Amino acid sequence: MNYRGGVVTGILSTLLVVTAGGLGWWFFVHKAPEPTRSSPPPIPAVVAKEDQFNTITLTDEAIKSLAIDTVPVVKKAMPRSRIYGGDVTIPPGRTIIVSAPFSGLLQALGKEMPLAG
């Protein structure tokens, strides 16, 4: 090995050691900025305990996003009858029992009872 080869090897070795030291220092000293964690959004509803499971309190934000309108309760008379459509086919000269899960009145829509058949 000649003088020139020893000098070049020394310079390269020195540069390698200085670079490795600089990179090591940079990794230990330089900290990456920690991402800021935003707080989670507030919960739009509050559910009560298990014994009050059917009670839900909504925030104003939840009411706006669900588009819920509320009105005061009004007491007024409502008819207690319902109209259900259906067909009853009875053989001529016979009768049939019509049973339903609720009480009511069975009427024909027209003025006359329709003829069977």
Side-chain angles (χ1 to χ4, degrees):
M1 182 185 244
N2 59 17
Y3 175 74
R4 186 181 231 178
V7 171
V8 172
T9 305
I11 292 173
L12 289 177
S13 299
T14 306
L15 285 175
L16 183 65
V17 169
V18 169
T19 304
L23 285 175
W25 172 81
W26 187 78
F27 279 121
F28 284 114
V29 173
H30 180 71
K31 293 183 180 178
E34 294 183 13
T36 58
R37 291 188 177 183
S38 61
S39 61
I43 299 173
V46 177
V47 180
K49 294 181 181 179
E50 189 174 349
D51 60 340
Q52 299 171 340
F53 208 55
N54 59 346
T55 303
I56 298 174
T57 305
L58 297 175
T59 61
D60 293 334
E61 192 175 308
I63 292 172
K64 288 178 185 176
S65 67
L66 293 173
I68 296 176
D69 290 331
T70 57
V71 294
V73 176
V74 178
K75 187 174 183 177
K76 62 180 180 179
M78 296 292 293
R80 292 187 166 258
S81 64
R82 295 185 185 112
I83 298 175
Y84 295 99
D87 294 327
V88 178
T89 306
I90 305 169
R94 297 211 165 164
T95 61
I96 189 170
I97 297 174
V98 178
S99 61
F102 44 85
S103 63
L105 179 65
L106 187 63
Q107 290 180 328
L109 288 178
K111 292 185 179 184
E112 297 180 8
M113 289 295 286
L115 295 174

